[in-house]
Amino acid sequence: MQEPHVRSGKPRRQLPDRIRAVGPGWHPLLLRLHERLLTLEPGYRIEDLKEKLGGVRIHVTAASAPAHAEMRGVLTEAEKQSETICEFCGEPGRRRRRNDAPAGWIKTVCDVCYAEWSHHTILIINGEVRHRLTGSR
């Protein structure tokens, strides 16, 4: 049976196969992470990759328990780093809410992208930044 997130071809199993689940600002971080994971467990498998609470969240499986334990530390480090990198452009950023509201969606953004994101003029779709026309929401 084919995995639900796979449309055709071989199953998507490693970071480069799933990188478009998050914004382009985090892609270099995830590609560096992929290289580190390959040294620990060449056959690692991504179970989940997403943005949550302004940071990247990654769940993997490994063939051996020791490799999985070592990988957890590497993953935690990358997850923390993502909270300092703008998900839109890759510049230094911080976790913020739109318009600095007390509640709502949290994203890690730089000051430039924050202004556009707060005004609903940029968003991330399929791993790419998309621009909306001014005045449309």
Side-chain angles (χ1 to χ4, degrees):
M1 183 171 150
Q2 207 171 34
E3 296 176 51
H5 63 275
V6 176
R7 292 189 179 127
S8 64
K10 70 177 188 171
R12 297 179 181 186
R13 296 180 184 257
Q14 295 188 331
L15 277 170
D17 302 315
R18 299 284 310 277
I19 203 163
R20 295 176 68 88
V22 297
W26 290 344
H27 293 180
L29 170 70
L30 295 178
L31 292 174
R32 288 190 305 272
L33 174 61
H34 170 66
E35 294 302 320
R36 289 185 70 191
L37 292 175
L38 287 176
T39 64
L40 298 171
E41 175 69 47
Y44 83 90
R45 179 182 168 148
I46 292 291
E47 298 298 331
D48 193 21
L49 172 67
K50 63 186 173 190
E51 180 275 334
K52 185 173 183 179
L53 299 174
V56 69
R57 299 296 180 263
I58 307 159
H59 299 276
V60 301
T61 55
S64 69
H68 186 75
E70 205 170 341
M71 289 169 60
R72 186 67 247 155
V74 172
L75 293 168
T76 299
E77 180 183 319
E79 289 173 350
K80 286 181 183 177
Q81 284 180 341
S82 72
E83 294 177 3
T84 66
I85 300 168
C86 178
E87 187 181 358
F88 291 98
C89 71
E91 291 295 316
R94 62 186 174 99
R95 294 172 65 226
R96 298 177 76 172
R97 296 179 195 273
R98 273 197 173 111
N99 299 311
D100 289 325
W105 197 268
I106 299 171
K107 273 236 184 268
T108 299
V109 292
C110 66
D111 290 340
V112 172
C113 294
Y114 172 72
E116 293 182 79
W117 178 63
S118 285
H119 290 97
H120 298 267
T121 56
I122 62 172
L123 67 155
I124 296 169
I125 298 175
N126 222 9
E128 295 180 7
V129 175
R130 302 284 173 95
H131 296 268
R132 291 182 176 166
L133 298 175
T134 306
S136 62
R137 287 177 64 132

